[in-house]
Amino acid sequence: MAKFCFLLCSVLIFLAISSEARNAPSLATINDSPSNLNRTYTKVCDPQRFSDLGLDMNDFAYCDSSLSYDVRVKDLIDRMTLTEKVQQIGDKAYGVPRIGLAKYEWWSEALHGISDVGQWNSKASFFDDVVPAATSFPCPITTTAAFNQSLWKSIGQAVSTEARAMYNLGHAGLTFWSPNINVVRDPRWGRALETPGEDPFTVGTYAANYVRGLQDIEGIENTADPNSRPLKVAACCKHYAAYDVDNWLGVDRTHFDARVTEQDMLETFVKPFEMCVKDGDVTSVMCSYNRINGIPACADPKLLRDTIRGEWDLHGYIVSDCDSVQVMIDNHKWLSDEPEDAVSQALKAGLDLDCGNYYTNYADKAVVQGKVKEKEIDESLKNLYFVLMRLGFFDGSPKFESLGKEDVCSDEHIELATQAAREGMVLLKNFNGTLPLNTDEIKTIAVVGPHANATNAMIGNYAGVPCKYVSPLDGLSTYAEVQYAMGCVNVMCKNSSLVFPAMQAAKNADATIIVAGIDLSVEAESLDRVDLLLPGYQTELINQVAAVSKGPVIVVIMSAGGVDISFARDNGNVKAILWAGFPGEEGGQAIADVLFGKYNPGGRLPLTWHESSYVDMLPMTSMPLRPVDSLGYPGRTYKFFNGSTVYPFGYGLSYTTFDYSLTSAERSLNIQLNKFQHCRDLNYTDGSFKPPCPAILTEDLQCDDNNLEFEVEVSNTGTVDGSEVVMLYWTPPKGIVESPIKQLIGFQKVFVPAGGSQKVKFQLNACKSLGIVNYRGYHLLPSGGHSIVIGDNLLSFPVGINFEQVN
Ligand SMILES: *[C@@H]1O[C@H](CO)[C@@H](O)[C@H](O)[C@H]1NC(C)=O
Ligand SMILES: *[C@@H]1O[C@H](CO)[C@@H](O)[C@H](O)[C@H]1NC(C)=O
Ligand SMILES: *[C@@H]1O[C@H](CO)[C@@H](O)[C@H](O)[C@H]1NC(C)=O
Ligand SMILES: *[C@@H]1O[C@H](CO)[C@@H](O)[C@H](O)[C@H]1NC(C)=O
Ligand SMILES: *[C@@H]1O[C@H](CO)[C@@H](O)[C@H](O)[C@H]1NC(C)=O
Ligand SMILES: *[C@@H]1O[C@H](CO)[C@@H](O)[C@H](O)[C@H]1NC(C)=O
Ligand SMILES: *[C@@H]1O[C@H](CO)[C@@H](O)[C@H](O)[C@H]1NC(C)=O
């Protein structure tokens, strides 16, 4: 009897608790333990909370919502002692019960869904019985391949809805240290999966859209005072800057000194951060572990205070990568610093928050020793509390307080994750229209390879617990009868003993799908690649299975960075190749939908797929983007590498064909100069035409308006509907020394029904889009014959820029 009651009663209690959680209008968020409070509250400025603390809220101006944030934040800071202040500038802010200030954990992550930070950090975003899972969208490298700005923003919106719901349930903070927007300068970098690829413009555009999706509240995207604009959640663009070496042949990020030219810095490394701050109005930037030209990124006042806060006008706070301040001492041995020196240098540089405990442990001593002013700490606190005010931490956010469990892993979000994965698939090869497979002909399929039954490999890193998984095997089973053979135990594939059973499976099936690639055991945070090949026996597996298959063979690759699969591209037995990236929890469904033609793929590679010999030509630690002729180093990224590739940046096929025609275009731009606008010289290669006025400083020009307009008509000339990414490149005038080969300056994705057409209009600003950064760090607009190129030379036309001196 007792036992029966034990079981039944716990079920009843469980039901009671969960239904209470569902119905409760506002749930646990502010938890003041270890103070003497037992209750939880939704906001700091709750009169009941103050009275439970033995305080009267009316005594505290910082809780008076009729006052400006300026006045309130100052009131709050002025109440604190130095010791109390320094306890608030680490990621764990301890709060000050004496004055009613609650504690707060600043560290949550949402790279492609709410991630499980709980594994490192007991108080940030985490999962348990109350919130068992959250929607796991594709990794950013895959989502980027969709080249669809509204998709990027929609994912940000879905993630922030889940974030608010989890915050309400006490399972996440309000400040998320995502996205990762470092440019993938070298194909070996282990963190490519977290990023939007190798093109600074694409990376910056992704950043601005994802950040706006996370942060913006519909209807109040802009306010007169950006420092009081309300936020859904706070995002963070990281890791600033020139960070893209993790651990390569013993060189690791906490010791690495990136030697970077000012030209590369402006043009490539900081460009996406500038777009993130200016276009995305992000509330936070995180500085990186590495040094840049000798100086630790988190201790450089030129990079932080002067650039992010000064020049770009950040409305928010600057945070360190975790333990970066300690890394200055322990790893970089920066200036033989004592902890107080490092802390004061970072504070003076403009670093507001230390993810770690160096600020908390040493900032008060640094002040007492006279190494930094207490006022610098006040400034940091001000930047931090403005963000918490905007998030409703003090006053609540009625708009979001009804979000709860049913808003996490909703059908709508899972469908968006599936859609994102479909849009991110890149078709690399499709011999004679092998794909899509036809269910009338293909009744049985052999599904082989180390990723054939991939689950957690699809969600990569900075992941949460997904709502569910649809593996490739699951997805393909919905279209045909599947015979599964692993082929390899795992991606390392160190043993060929499972190849034979895979060949057997392929001999009998109507089609064979080989799902191969790499995973976090090969490319990850703290793990760069040493080559670009498929590991172990995977190449043999593909070649041998392809040699004996009865039906057509399709190779699906899961990876973030490019893999040298030229052997499969050139193997006549491999009829088609699809790159799936790391496609998130619904990845297997998306792969199946593409292979069987339910969805016509339209993704494009967000980075160059290099031949494996590329990495033998230059060390990963060589930072220049341009070729280094004296050392025989080739250039980096499509902008500067002029050699053969496995597949180039922007590559991607469709099941249909598209035609382009130019419907209208600006062909020339005459800019009149006054006598204060001086011509600047540019270096031209020998023998090329150099205009009399080679260039003008961009900042000297009136560049407020979009002055270039192009319209193209995209026709779907095939027999199936499809989406096309219209990619607009700029090629600078011929002969300018060290200018990029080309640069993406715009892209739009359009759906065009079979036989139909769509007009696509680009409105650009010549100063922003057609400019170069010279070797001295000036932004210049060159005169002469520029070209606009659409796609892979599908359409191109010249745009002449002329400067006329008028006095
Ligand atoms: C909090 O709960 C504990 C244990 O239930 C109790 O002993 C304590 O008195 C409570 N504190 C307050 C302030 O209610
Ligand atoms: C872009 O993404 C949105 C989802 O936010 C989707 O509705 C739309 O169809 C996509 N556009 C194209 C052309 O695929
Ligand atoms: C291409 O496909 C068509 C139709 O399925 C077939 O008739 C033709 O022989 C194929 N061509 C090659 C080169 O395989
Ligand atoms: C596929 O993987 C899942 C999760 O790891 C496992 O439960 C399932 O048994 C696997 N399927 C096959 C056919 O091995
Ligand atoms: C390869 O793997 C099989 C099955 O796991 C095992 O029986 C065999 O001993 C392995 N061979 C080698 C050379 O490691
Ligand atoms: C441009 O020319 C000047 C003068 O000849 C030279 O000093 C400089 O190094 C050149 N710069 C580049 C990038 O070639
Ligand atoms: C690329 O290299 C080839 C061969 O060296 C050369 O002819 C061509 O001009 C180069 N193109 C660019 C854009 O540098």
Side-chain angles (χ1 to χ4, degrees):
M1 187 66 199
K3 195 169 184 177
F4 174 75
C5 177
F6 173 74
L7 282 174
L8 184 69
C9 296
S10 45
V11 168
L12 289 175
I13 289 165
F14 172 75
L15 288 175
I17 290 171
S18 52
S19 72
E20 181 180 276
R22 239 194 321 276
N23 297 332
S26 54
L27 300 155
T29 57
I30 311 285
N31 177 346
D32 286 275
S33 69
S35 83
N36 61 345
L37 295 193
N38 289 339
R39 215 191 295 248
T40 48
Y41 309 87
T42 58
K43 55 186 180 185
V44 169
C45 296
D46 177 336
Q48 183 61 49
R49 187 178 158 271
F50 273 76
S51 109
D52 288 351
L53 281 165
L55 303 168
D56 180 353
M57 201 176 88
N58 294 320
D59 294 342
F60 295 87
Y62 80 82
C63 276
D64 181 347
S65 60
S66 71
L67 300 172
S68 70
Y69 287 173
D70 244 331
V71 172
R72 296 174 65 185
V73 165
K74 184 170 186 309
D75 175 75
L76 175 59
I77 297 168
D78 288 351
R79 289 173 187 276
M80 292 187 218
T81 66
L82 174 61
T83 309
E84 287 165 348
K85 286 176 187 174
V86 303
Q87 283 173 357
Q88 319 309 321
I89 51 177
D91 63 290
K92 283 183 179 33
Y94 290 91
V96 187
R98 180 181 70 81
I99 58 169
L101 179 64
K103 65 181 182 171
Y104 180 70
E105 172 57 64
W106 285 86
W107 186 1
S108 292
E109 303 270 354
L111 181 68
H112 55 112
I114 307 304
S115 85
D116 195 353
V117 185
Q119 55 192 317
W120 310 304
N121 186 320
S122 59
K123 287 191 226 86
S125 46
F126 66 98
F127 297 88
D128 60 15
D129 293 349
V130 176
V131 184
T135 312
S136 205
F137 292 90
C139 291
I141 197 73
T142 298
T143 300
T144 303
F147 280 94
N148 179 346
Q149 296 187 48
S150 70
L151 175 75
W152 299 341
K153 194 170 172 186
S154 301
I155 293 176
Q157 288 167 334
V159 170
S160 54
T161 295
E162 297 201 356
R164 272 288 177 177
M166 284 180 66
Y167 174 72
N168 291 343
L169 295 160
H171 279 57
L174 291 168
T175 46
F176 291 83
W177 293 345
S178 310
N180 177 345
I181 60 159
N182 293 108
V183 167
V184 183
R185 172 188 55 89
D186 189 288
R188 288 163 282 199
W189 190 31
R191 300 185 76 173
L193 77 164
E194 298 174 36
T195 76
E198 76 179 22
D199 173 52
F201 173 75
T202 307
V203 175
T205 306
Y206 173 89
N209 279 285
Y210 189 65
V211 164
R212 288 214 166 267
L214 286 176
Q215 292 195 160
D216 287 5
I217 299 173
E218 224 180 310
I220 35 175
E221 290 87 352
N222 297 295
T223 51
D225 170 21
N227 281 311
S228 50
R229 180 170 72 100
L231 297 165
K232 192 172 175 194
V233 302
C236 172
C237 280
K238 68 189 187 187
H239 317 75
Y240 180 83
Y243 162 53
D244 55 11
V245 171
D246 260 62
N247 193 344
W248 178 75
L249 302 179
V251 180
D252 83 76
R253 58 187 181 175
T254 64
H255 294 87
F256 183 57
D257 182 16
R259 310 302 299 196
V260 182
T261 65
E262 198 60 22
Q263 183 181 40
D264 284 338
M265 201 66 181
L266 296 174
E267 186 181 64
T268 300
F269 297 113
V270 309
K271 181 74 185 169
F273 290 91
E274 182 179 3
M275 292 170 76
C276 177
V277 174
K278 289 184 177 169
D279 302 340
D281 196 17
V282 76
T283 40
S284 176
V285 175
M286 177 185 286
C287 51
S288 54
Y289 288 117
N290 54 292
R291 278 172 289 161
I292 300 163
N293 299 328
I295 305 175
C298 292
D300 190 337
K302 184 189 117 202
L303 283 177
L304 307 188
R305 196 178 287 287
D306 296 355
T307 306
I308 305 177
R309 192 162 295 288
E311 207 182 308
W312 301 342
D313 191 21
L314 173 75
H315 310 124
Y317 68 100
I318 301 176
V319 60
S320 72
D321 204 338
C322 295
D323 298 322
S324 291
V325 180
Q326 184 173 353
V327 157
M328 288 179 202
I329 296 169
D330 294 353
N331 304 48
H332 294 305
K333 315 267 184 227
W334 166 244
L335 301 178
S336 312
D337 270 357
E338 294 297 321
E340 293 80 6
D341 301 310
V343 161
S344 60
Q345 286 146 9
L347 277 165
K348 285 185 205 168
L351 178 70
D352 300 307
L353 187 73
D354 173 26
C355 175
N357 52 27
Y358 256 49
Y359 270 14
T360 323
N361 289 346
Y362 300 107
D364 50 350
K365 294 192 201 82
V367 172
V368 172
Q369 291 171 12
K371 289 177 173 161
V372 66
K373 297 194 282 278
E374 185 171 348
K375 194 167 181 299
E376 315 264 8
I377 296 173
D378 295 346
E379 272 306 307
S380 292
L381 288 171
K382 183 174 164 195
N383 294 330
L384 291 164
Y385 290 125
F386 260 87
V387 171
L388 288 183
M389 287 273 171
R390 294 168 61 190
L391 285 163
F393 181 71
F394 290 92
D395 302 332
S397 298
K399 199 172 171 135
F400 304 117
E401 277 162 15
S402 63
L403 294 173
K405 231 173 155 161
E406 61 285 357
D407 299 291
V408 182
C409 286
S410 62
D411 292 347
E412 189 194 337
H413 291 174
I414 293 172
E415 177 49 33
L416 185 62
T418 317
Q419 174 66 10
R422 290 185 194 112
E423 287 196 41
M425 298 281 151
V426 182
L427 183 63
L428 297 172
K429 175 179 180 179
N430 191 16
F431 176 73
N432 198 23
T434 301
L435 293 178
L437 300 173
N438 182 338
T439 44
D440 293 337
E441 292 159 17
I442 309 291
K443 300 289 185 196
T444 61
I445 44 177
V447 181
V448 309
H451 277 319
N453 189 28
T455 51
N456 61 329
M458 297 192 297
I459 65 175
N461 62 357
Y462 287 84
V465 180
C467 319
K468 60 173 179 152
Y469 284 114
V470 180
S471 71
L473 211 49
D474 297 334
L476 292 163
S477 308
T478 62
Y479 287 95
E481 189 188 313
V482 158
Q483 202 191 341
Y484 170 52
M486 291 168 96
C488 301
V489 176
N490 54 34
V491 300
M492 297 318 265
C493 202
K494 289 202 167 129
N495 179 326
S496 62
S497 63
L498 297 179
V499 172
F500 187 68
M503 292 164 69
Q504 292 299 110
K507 273 184 189 164
N508 302 315
D510 297 335
T512 296
I513 294 161
I514 308 174
V515 194
I518 52 182
D519 64 13
L520 294 176
S521 65
V522 179
E523 52 173 351
E525 183 168 9
S526 301
L527 181 63
D528 297 318
R529 286 191 289 170
V530 289
D531 63 49
L532 306 180
L533 301 168
L534 286 174
Y537 284 93
Q538 286 201 47
T539 302
E540 276 83 349
L541 171 72
I542 293 171
N543 283 334
Q544 291 182 22
V545 167
V548 300
S549 288
K550 183 178 92 174
V553 173
I554 292 103
V555 172
V556 177
I557 299 288
M558 285 194 197
S559 73
V563 183
D564 185 348
I565 48 157
S566 39
F567 75 92
R569 179 195 61 194
D570 301 338
N571 181 343
N573 292 327
V574 173
K575 301 297 181 201
I577 304 175
L578 182 74
W579 178 61
F582 292 119
E585 62 173 72
E586 291 287 319
Q589 187 62 53
I591 290 170
D593 289 347
V594 166
L595 296 184
F596 281 91
K598 187 177 167 202
Y599 183 81
N600 181 0
R604 303 299 188 94
L605 291 181
L607 34 70
T608 306
W609 280 37
H610 282 287
E611 292 170 0
S612 61
S613 59
Y614 179 84
V615 299
D616 301 328
M617 297 183 334
L618 79 177
M620 193 176 170
T621 46
S622 157
M623 297 299 288
L625 274 291
R626 289 166 175 74
V628 183
D629 294 336
S630 58
L631 297 168
Y633 298 168
R636 295 176 170 285
T637 79
Y638 77 90
K639 291 173 62 179
F640 299 105
F641 176 67
N642 178 25
S644 72
T645 60
V646 181
Y647 292 107
F649 174 85
Y651 190 76
L653 307 170
S654 166
Y655 296 152
T656 187
T657 47
F658 296 97
D659 244 11
Y660 286 78
S661 66
L662 192 63
T663 41
S664 76
E666 222 76 53
R667 300 293 183 149
S668 66
L669 208 58
N670 292 312
I671 297 172
Q672 303 204 322
L673 304 177
N674 64 36
K675 60 184 167 188
F676 308 114
Q677 292 166 307
H678 299 288
C679 294
R680 300 287 172 138
D681 201 13
L682 282 178
N683 291 0
Y684 273 75
T685 52
D686 290 344
S688 47
F689 171 74
K690 179 170 174 173
C693 181
I696 299 290
L697 264 191
T698 309
E699 66 199 52
D700 285 351
L701 294 165
Q702 253 96 54
C703 286
D704 304 332
D705 298 326
N706 289 337
N707 43 14
L708 288 177
E709 256 187 43
F710 313 112
E711 194 184 64
V712 290
E713 189 168 51
V714 184
S715 308
N716 182 338
T717 51
T719 54
V720 288
D721 301 349
S723 287
E724 171 75 341
V725 180
V726 183
M727 300 181 95
L728 194 75
Y729 292 93
W730 158 68
T731 311
K734 282 199 175 50
I736 300 177
V737 170
E738 295 203 331
S739 62
I741 299 166
K742 60 178 182 175
Q743 165 69 60
L744 189 68
I745 56 172
F747 57 86
Q748 284 182 51
K749 187 177 209 177
V750 279
F751 174 79
V752 192
S757 66
Q758 271 287 333
K759 285 191 174 144
V760 179
K761 189 180 251 177
F762 290 94
Q763 291 178 306
L764 303 168
N765 179 324
C767 296
K768 284 187 183 154
S769 299
L770 311 193
I772 60 168
V773 178
N774 79 355
Y775 69 105
R776 292 179 182 172
Y778 283 119
H779 286 273
L780 297 167
L781 179 63
S783 65
H786 300 245
S787 316
I788 300 295
V789 180
I790 293 178
D792 198 11
N793 271 321
L794 287 168
L795 192 69
S796 79
F797 52 93
V799 175
I801 295 194
N802 311 304
F803 299 122
E804 292 167 32
Q805 203 82 44
V806 291
N807 286 307

